[in-house]
Amino acid sequence: MPPSTGLANAIVTGLVTGSIVALGAIGLALVYNIAEVPNFAHGELLMLGAYMALLVNKPATVPVFELLTQAQAARELTAVGFAVLFLLAAGSALAAVYLLGGMPALKGSWWPGDPSSALALGVHLAVAAVLGVLVVVGFPSIWTGLLLSALMLAWIAPFLEKVIFQKFRAKDASLATMLIVTLGLSFVLRFGTQAFYGGQVRTYVVPQVGSVFGYDVGLSAAKFFDLYVTGSGITMHVIDTGPNPDQAMFTATYSWLAALALLAATVGVAFAAYRWRSGGAEGYGTGHTVGPKLTAALAGIVTFVALLFALSGGGTVPDSSAFSTRIRLSLMRASVVVIAVVMMGLLHFLLQETKLGKAMRASSDNIDLAKITGINTDRVMMATWIIAGAFAAVGGVMLGVLFAQLTVNMGFFLLLPMFAGVILGGLQSVYGAILGSYIVGLSMDVGIYAIPDIGSVYRIPIAFAILFVVLLVKPEGITGG
């Protein structure tokens, strides 16, 4: 009898859920900290991002755009349709740059130093053209839809800031007023999308099989990672449910000595990496983009994975075991975590190592002081919304892929977990928002596992119960600013 899913599976599922929540919460935290907008319409930005991907993935289901598809093949575009896609992608990239400061921004005013106007304009046009070509060549892949969606939300979000929120901020609107404005905008976006697309549930076309180094790999089919604990050691058995019947992919047995060696080596390398990055025993280290804790985590993960294969011995599934559990994961679900982590890494680099990132951090601390010191806070504001829009788009598309359906309410249902993640982590820290989001995701899925009788409908209340407990102990949030 195969093992059943347990706590380990709930933790993995919680990490996937937390990644989706984090992609939305990052933009929510950035906008609140810098633009001082409690954006209750942020869920609708995720929803818009999810629907924008349909322009590439399923163009025949998009009103008006369906006229540009070939009648005999719903997922094929006419030449005019491909031209429109190219213009949407390239135009969105240029529009995002334009919103940083108009034509001077297109001519390089936001670049460091004093670049040639012709050179900067040429680079912007070339990059926009490359992005347009990528969207056309990649049609109708869901990943190409993800790219187009991110490009479009990267100008739609700052455009909303420019035409709506900036006007209210100029009139010194109170926080309560801004909250009502964002609520009103959320209804406009949600029901406007419903009026255009209709109220029916939509889905993406996601490939079932992909090619990796010449081998066909099931992308959507679940992979079962079965773990067996016996008196002689630990056995890991990986099953691919894509083929019919199910096919064993990998079986490895680790003796208790090998398991202890793996654990000791992982902890040792992680500790050594931490000491090295922090400056050793003398403590003379300086700040790094990849700090001591992150270095230790990365070194530990790499060591663990490498030794996992190096120390594995061929084995078979045991007839009996003292303990067994199963983790259910597909490559598509794993890609959600990978994409989220990569985007967080890019954001971390931007905040720590670029002039724009330093300006964003200064504006977050004190926007008036930042303005006095010569920082172009209007450009920082636009850049913040561009980043928030792009993250929201990726989160929306990943949410549609994860749950295999798109509805106009999908972003609204995720809004409360996003706010819970931001508040739990600490309102003044984007890193706190990331940490809080993963705690929210884990609490939702682990909570359902721990209390199975209450049902999945109580996933969000469980997260808020954790939120209340943490805030009673530490009202300023986990990171405390």
Side-chain angles (χ1 to χ4, degrees):
M1 182 177 179
S4 59
T5 57
L7 178 60
N9 184 72
I11 292 174
V12 171
T13 304
L15 291 176
V16 176
T17 303
S19 296
I20 295 288
V21 176
L23 286 171
I26 286 171
L28 202 60
L30 284 173
V31 166
Y32 180 80
N33 288 331
I34 297 177
E36 298 182 345
V37 176
N39 190 11
F40 276 79
H42 198 73
E44 275 59 46
L45 292 182
L46 270 78
M47 178 269 297
L48 277 180
Y51 274 79
M52 291 298 179
L54 290 172
L55 290 167
V56 174
N57 189 245
K58 294 179 72 172
T61 66
V62 181
V64 181
F65 203 75
E66 62 185 346
L67 301 176
L68 303 178
T69 61
Q70 297 181 8
Q72 68 275 17
R75 296 193 76 209
E76 291 294 335
L77 287 177
T78 62
V80 176
F82 280 115
V84 170
L85 271 187
F86 175 85
L87 291 175
L88 280 175
S92 295
L94 293 175
V97 176
Y98 181 84
L99 286 169
L100 287 174
M103 275 306 297
L106 286 173
K107 293 180 179 179
S109 64
W110 66 282
W111 287 23
D114 188 19
S116 165
S117 297
L119 173 64
L121 184 60
V123 169
H124 287 145
L125 291 173
V127 171
V130 169
L131 292 172
V133 169
L134 287 176
V135 169
V136 170
V137 171
F139 175 91
S141 166
I142 183 61
W143 308 117
T144 306
L146 177 67
L147 174 60
L148 178 65
S149 177
L151 289 172
M152 294 191 68
L153 264 293
W155 73 263
I156 290 175
F159 180 76
L160 293 175
E161 151 68 16
K162 195 171 187 66
V163 300
I164 298 177
F165 301 121
Q166 197 175 82
K167 308 296 183 185
F168 283 91
R169 197 180 300 107
K171 296 180 180 180
D172 294 324
S174 66
L175 190 64
T177 300
M178 297 297 282
L179 189 151
I180 296 300
V181 169
T182 62
L183 280 174
L185 178 62
S186 72
F187 285 113
V188 171
L189 293 176
R190 190 187 320 162
F191 293 107
T193 302
Q194 181 172 321
F196 182 76
Y197 280 92
Q200 68 269 34
V201 176
R202 297 172 182 271
T203 59
Y204 292 134
V205 176
V206 179
Q208 299 299 311
V209 178
S211 180
V212 180
F213 300 114
Y215 295 94
D216 290 337
V217 178
L219 300 179
S220 300
K223 308 292 186 295
F224 292 148
F225 296 82
D226 295 342
L227 297 176
Y228 301 88
V229 179
T230 66
S232 59
I234 302 172
T235 298
M236 181 170 65
H237 183 54
V238 184
I239 304 171
D240 186 1
T241 63
N244 190 15
D246 295 349
Q247 179 179 344
M249 297 177 62
F250 179 75
T251 304
T253 298
Y254 304 88
S255 67
W256 285 115
L257 181 60
L260 289 174
L262 189 153
L263 181 61
T266 299
V267 173
V269 170
F271 181 72
Y274 179 85
R275 290 286 295 258
W276 166 72
R277 202 59 171 168
S278 60
E282 295 82 2
Y284 54 79
T286 57
H288 302 283
T289 300
V290 182
K293 294 179 181 178
L294 183 56
T295 302
L298 292 175
I301 291 172
V302 172
T303 302
F304 181 83
V305 173
L307 292 179
L308 198 65
F309 288 97
L311 298 177
S312 64
T316 58
V317 177
D319 295 328
S320 62
S321 61
F323 172 79
S324 64
T325 189
R326 166 171 284 180
I327 298 174
R328 179 188 177 99
L329 185 66
S330 67
L331 290 181
M332 196 62 73
R333 290 170 66 85
S335 69
V336 174
V337 180
V338 173
I339 289 173
V341 170
V342 169
M343 292 194 66
M344 292 171 196
L346 292 174
L347 177 64
H348 175 65
F349 178 81
L350 182 146
L351 290 175
Q352 299 296 328
E353 292 297 324
T354 67
K355 186 177 180 181
L356 173 61
K358 292 180 175 64
M360 290 174 66
R361 288 188 284 129
S363 299
S364 175
D365 287 340
N366 190 321
I367 193 167
D368 293 325
L369 183 60
K371 188 179 298 185
I372 292 173
T373 57
I375 293 175
N376 189 333
T377 54
D378 290 336
R379 183 179 298 157
V380 169
M381 201 84 69
M382 288 293 107
T384 301
W385 280 93
I386 288 172
I387 295 169
F391 269 81
V394 174
V397 175
M398 290 292 96
L399 186 63
V401 169
L402 188 62
F403 291 102
Q405 64 178 23
L406 280 70
T407 67
V408 293
N409 293 317
M410 60 189 294
F412 175 76
F413 291 143
L414 196 66
L415 184 64
L416 287 180
M418 287 191 297
F419 265 107
V422 172
I423 296 171
L424 183 62
L427 282 172
Q428 300 301 317
S429 171
V430 67
Y431 299 104
I434 295 173
L435 176 61
S437 296
Y438 278 104
I439 293 176
V440 167
L442 287 168
S443 64
M444 288 195 292
D445 289 303
V446 174
I448 293 301
Y449 165 77
I451 318 175
D453 295 335
I454 64 175
S456 61
V457 70
Y458 291 100
R459 293 171 78 237
I460 295 179
I462 289 175
F464 273 85
I466 300 297
L467 171 68
F468 294 151
V469 171
V470 172
L471 293 185
L472 284 173
V473 177
K474 197 173 184 185
E476 68 274 19
I478 296 173
T479 61

